[in-house]
Structures are given as structure tokens and as C-alpha cells.
Amino acid sequence: MVESGFRSSFMREAAARGFIFQCTDAQALDALMERESISAYIGFDPTADSLHVGGLIQIMMLRLLQKHGHRPIALVGGGTARIGDPSFREEARGLMTEDIIQTNLAGIEGCLRQFLSFGTGPSDAMLVNNADWLDKLAYIDLLRDVGVHFSINRMLAFDSVKNRLEREQGLTFLEFNYSILQSYDFRELSRKYGLVLQLGGSDQWGNIISGVELVRRTDQKTVMGLTTPLLTTASGAKMGKTASGAVWLSPKRLPVFDYWQFWRNTEDADVGRFLRLFTDLPLEECARLESLPGADINEAKKVLATEATALCHGREAALAAAEAARQTFEEGRVTAADLPVHEVSQPELAAGIPVFRLLVEAGLAKTNGEARRLVRGGGARLNNAVIADENRLIVEHDSVDGAIRLSAGKKHHVLVRVGS
């Protein structure tokens, strides 16, 4: 949705960069943001100890809010995590223990602090946990105060509910309450912080509308909702997913080099869109890079990778990853320090490790059979040399400058080192 008539700086840039999918009242929101600074929030459920690229568009939306002088509020769902959001899931999530929830909350906070500036100023980001109010709720009071404003007929019409029921996979009463609690969050933040806007992915539209309606009915106040598009790549793949799994934002989950490489491997048709959504580069520069001809588009991909990585991991780490990639792919050097590392024991390496097994253990193949096929097809390399024998033993004298480089194809590399 591109709207040339917006007057507020945030709405103009959000539209131009491709962030806006739906809005309850785009013109009213635009007028409000032109007059004054507002507070807006997005919720993040602690289903893991890191966020991943699939939710990065939401974080970048909060970052854009802050850039234009508005206050972003990041809500972590310490309370709703005990239920789980059923949106577009085929089955119920397993319930998490309190210890797991707390570990995940800390990890998510770390990810958010990489992108947002937190503090006490008018446009500084805030971090809130809905357990602070949901844990205190009395069930009967919730039913009388909030439940009375929810129509079962309308909730059954939500896509997230309909899809589960149509597949005959069922929806627990626990999950069915998620929309009510998310709406309660919206009202609580509206009352405590004067918040007027909830942001989210397009899969959250039904939940957001429910919150808008609850605030209108109980507080006679107008609040609004705005969603971002759910992203897929040009080839139709889900954004943030690769053959080896999710692209995590935490370096504890994914090495910085692999994060850089994910963006470097962007499809040609996605380069301009991803530059606009996932970097702070001016729109004019995004357009220039997008229009580079032929093989020069690879230079644009390197800029995308470095700029996206700098936002997540810092400029120094991004430049180190870019240099490691240059050394690896352009010079063929083995000792690129920022490549992912797989450690083995000295006795194990002294005895010799079958290359097919090491390929699996290093994450370059999923199964022994896949590793053997990789070798037979000429796709496995040891220190840049093609491996001809799938049963070859990797031993100590294969080490060069203290490391052994294993490769699967041209783009996936791991350094194997002896661990302490």
C-alpha cells in the first residue's frame, strides 16, 4: 500500500518503504502523527530465546517510529506465553515452564536492544511485560469486564481460528482466550501510557481489531491498528527461513558471518525491497542499488548484507563478516576468523573422523546419506579441494594454520578446530 498523500513524516516513509499493509484509519492516524508524537506498541511472544528475521519487519517498524520522534513500546508476552498465539499455527504449542519463559524474555530483550534506544526520554523505547498485569487478573472479573464485549461468532470468523477448525485440528479453550488477553493488553497500555496505536503483522489483524473495539466500548476512546505485510521471498519462500532453519538475530543462535551471508544470498528480485525494509539507507540510495545492472547487483547484495548486519550486530562485526566473506569467496583463504566454527576433540581428530560424519556434525548436511550424496556429486570440499572419497578420514595433518575448512557447495563453509 503506497499512499502519496500522507503528510506526517512517519507515514510517508513507512509507505514508501513498504511497511504498511492495513490500517484501521490511515488518514486519521496520519493527521494525528502530523500534530503530535504518539506511542505505539508491538507484542513479541517469548517462544524462543531469540527473535528471528521473520519478525524483523516489526522491529524495523518500531525503529522507524523512533526515528520520527514517536515512542515505541515493545511488549514481551510473559503472561500470554502461558497460552500461546494460535495465529496460523496448525497445532497447539507445548506449554512452557516459568524458567524457560524467563530465559526467553531475557534473550528477546537483548535482541530488541540491538535495534532500539531505550531510556526515559519522550521518544525512547519502553519494554513492558504483560505478566505485570495479566498475572493479577481474577477470572470472573475478566469475564464480566472484558469477555462480555467479545462475540463468539466474530472470533470464529478470524482466519487464525477458521484455518485450524477447517483442518479439524481443533483449538483449545486456552488458545481461544489469546485474543481476549491481547485486547486487554491494548487497553492496559492505552490507560497507563496514553498509547493510541498497535502494530503487528497482517496475521494479527483480527486480534488488533478486537483490541480497538474493546477500548472503544469500555473507555469511549479511539485507538488504531496498523499491520505490515507478511513477507515471502520472490520465489515464494517464507521470509527468515532457510534449509537449515530460522535466521536468528542473536549471535548465540547464529554466527554473525551466517547472518551476513543470509542477506548476501538474497534473490535479485528482492534486493530493492529488502534494502528499503531492513536497512536505514536513504530511499534514493536503495533505488540506485536496486537499479544496478547485471552482475553489479551482487555489489548491492553486499551492501544489503553489511547494512542489515550492522543494525543487528554492530558496524564492526558487520565489516568483519564482510571481510571474512571476501577472503573466503574471492581469495580462497582458509583462516577467515568469522566463519562458523565446529569444535572436535584432539583424540577424535587424531583417530580420524569420516568426512561424511563430520559434514553432518558441522551442520553442512542433515543426514549421513545427504553427506555421502554431497561428496559423490562433487559438492564437498576440504580446504578448497574437492573431496572424492565419501569415507575419507579427516585427520590432524589436514589442518592449515590451526583450522580445517569444510565446504558444502560454494556458499556454506565451516572451520573445524580442536576444542579446549
Side-chain angles (χ1 to χ4, degrees):
M1 169 182 168
V2 177
E3 171 59 63
S4 60
F6 289 140
R7 298 172 63 88
S8 66
S9 61
F10 169 80
M11 291 293 281
R12 284 201 310 271
E13 186 168 357
R17 288 188 178 272
F19 281 105
I20 301 176
F21 182 70
Q22 294 166 297
C23 187
T24 53
D25 191 336
Q27 298 305 320
L29 179 59
D30 181 45
L32 177 63
M33 297 181 90
E34 187 184 16
R35 292 195 308 269
E36 60 188 74
S37 296
I38 69 164
S39 296
Y41 94 99
I42 294 177
F44 299 92
D45 271 337
T47 54
D49 61 1
S50 172
L51 298 171
H52 57 75
V53 165
L56 183 55
I57 189 172
Q58 312 299 332
I59 302 173
M60 293 301 293
M61 179 71 106
L62 291 179
R63 184 178 175 87
L64 190 64
L65 268 171
Q66 190 165 49
K67 171 186 173 181
H68 289 283
H70 303 285
R71 179 206 276 174
I73 297 178
L75 180 144
V76 288
T80 41
R82 298 187 178 94
I83 293 178
D85 183 0
S87 295
F88 293 94
R89 290 189 59 81
E90 295 185 356
E91 59 187 17
R93 283 193 178 104
L95 297 181
M96 295 182 289
T97 66
E98 186 62 31
D99 286 345
I100 291 174
I101 290 173
Q102 292 305 314
T103 297
N104 291 353
L105 288 173
I108 287 173
E109 179 179 350
C111 290
L112 292 170
R113 289 186 180 277
Q114 293 164 190
F115 292 87
L116 302 171
S117 175
F118 288 83
T120 58
S123 64
D124 282 336
M126 291 181 59
L127 188 71
V128 297
N129 184 343
N130 65 9
D132 292 344
W133 53 84
L134 294 183
D135 285 359
K136 301 172 185 176
L137 282 178
Y139 186 60
I140 298 299
D141 291 340
L142 176 67
L143 290 179
R144 289 175 59 89
D145 179 34
V146 177
V148 68
H149 299 291
F150 282 76
S151 162
I152 293 294
N153 293 33
R154 183 174 181 180
M155 293 172 75
L156 289 172
F158 289 175
D159 286 342
S160 57
V161 175
K162 263 197 314 188
N163 290 344
R164 286 275 291 275
L165 296 180
E166 286 171 359
R167 296 191 187 104
E168 297 184 355
Q169 286 157 325
L171 188 72
T172 68
F173 181 70
L174 189 66
E175 293 175 287
F176 199 58
N177 275 271
Y178 187 92
S179 181
I180 295 176
L181 296 183
Q182 184 171 326
S183 299
Y184 189 94
D185 288 343
F186 199 173
R187 190 181 72 173
E188 184 71 11
L189 292 173
S190 171
R191 289 177 174 179
K192 290 183 71 171
Y193 303 112
L195 181 139
V196 296
L197 178 66
Q198 181 179 174
L199 306 163
S202 59
D203 60 329
Q204 293 295 315
W205 184 246
N207 290 337
I208 290 173
I209 292 297
S210 294
V212 169
E213 282 296 300
L214 176 64
V215 175
R216 182 185 66 81
R217 289 170 179 266
T218 61
D219 294 5
Q220 293 76 52
K221 178 181 175 182
T222 298
V223 292
M224 289 168 273
L226 186 153
T227 62
T228 58
L230 288 182
L231 290 184
T232 57
T233 65
S235 61
K238 190 173 182 181
M239 181 65 185
K241 294 287 186 179
T242 66
S244 58
V247 181
W248 300 102
L249 303 186
S250 169
K252 295 179 181 178
R253 283 270 197 154
L254 185 75
V256 175
F257 178 86
D258 285 1
Y259 189 80
W260 188 95
Q261 196 64 33
F262 166 77
W263 295 105
R264 169 62 182 83
N265 291 336
T266 294
E267 297 176 42
D268 291 2
D270 288 326
V271 171
R273 184 166 56 122
F274 288 1
L275 281 165
R276 287 185 288 273
L277 289 171
F278 301 117
T279 79
D280 286 340
L281 289 176
L283 288 166
E284 296 79 8
E285 179 64 5
C286 295
R288 185 191 72 80
L289 291 166
E290 183 180 18
S291 65
L292 289 175
D296 289 342
I297 196 68
N298 286 325
E299 294 306 311
K301 293 180 183 181
K302 293 176 186 177
V303 173
L304 167 64
T306 299
E307 293 300 316
T309 304
L311 289 181
C312 187
H313 298 296
R315 179 70 55 182
E316 183 177 349
L319 293 175
E323 176 61 15
R326 187 189 68 78
Q327 292 177 4
T328 301
F329 303 127
E330 297 176 19
E331 296 181 3
R333 288 174 56 181
V334 176
T335 57
D338 283 3
L339 284 178
V341 173
H342 173 71
E343 293 188 348
V344 297
S345 69
Q346 197 282 327
E348 193 178 15
L349 192 60
I353 307 171
V355 67
F356 70 85
R357 197 184 87 202
L358 190 56
L359 285 165
V360 175
E361 292 175 355
L364 295 171
K366 292 184 179 179
T367 64
N368 289 343
E370 181 181 313
R372 289 180 183 276
R373 289 190 294 274
L374 181 69
V375 174
R376 291 172 198 157
R381 290 176 178 266
L382 171 66
N383 297 336
N384 287 332
V386 173
I387 302 170
D389 181 3
E390 64 197 66
N391 294 309
R392 185 196 193 287
L393 293 180
I394 305 299
V395 293
E396 287 179 289
H397 70 246
D398 289 314
S399 179
V400 179
D401 293 336
I404 300 166
R405 190 177 75 176
L406 275 184
S407 305
K410 295 181 179 180
K411 296 181 178 179
H412 302 289
H413 308 268
V414 171
L415 291 182
V416 177
R417 289 196 176 111
V418 173
S420 54

